[in-house]
Amino acid sequence: MINKLRELNEKMLIKYKNDEKNLRKYQIIKEILNDDKCFFNIPIEYAYSILRDLEIEENKIKDVYKELIDSKNF
């Protein structure tokens, strides 16, 4: 799942390459996503915000988050 998020973020970096504010946001998200276990280290509010920024559907955010923090995935 983390790799899928990285791919989505790369698409956002391309999409917003000419929008300085959004570009910076997705650069920061890229830095966060470099750590495979990043969702263990950030508050749930930040995690949900990142998932929203990556355009994960609202009704799927909770399930995606649960999958990301499921320890058996590591």
Side-chain angles (χ1 to χ4, degrees), residues 1-44:
M1 177 57 68
I2 192 78
N3 287 326
K4 180 179 179 180
L5 296 180
R6 289 175 179 144
E7 289 173 17
L8 290 171
N9 193 62
E10 288 300 320
K11 290 178 183 177
M12 294 299 181
L13 286 167
I14 293 167
K15 180 178 179 179
Y16 292 110
K17 67 182 177 185
N18 295 320
D19 179 341
E20 190 175 322
K21 180 181 176 189
N22 279 311
L23 180 61
R24 182 64 188 135
K25 174 173 62 174
Y26 290 105
Q27 288 170 335
I28 292 168
I29 291 173
K30 182 177 182 171
E31 291 173 23
I32 293 168
L33 294 177
N34 280 334
D35 177 3
D36 287 345
K37 297 183 180 182
C38 62
F39 286 93
F40 289 98
N41 302 321
I42 59 176
I44 190 171

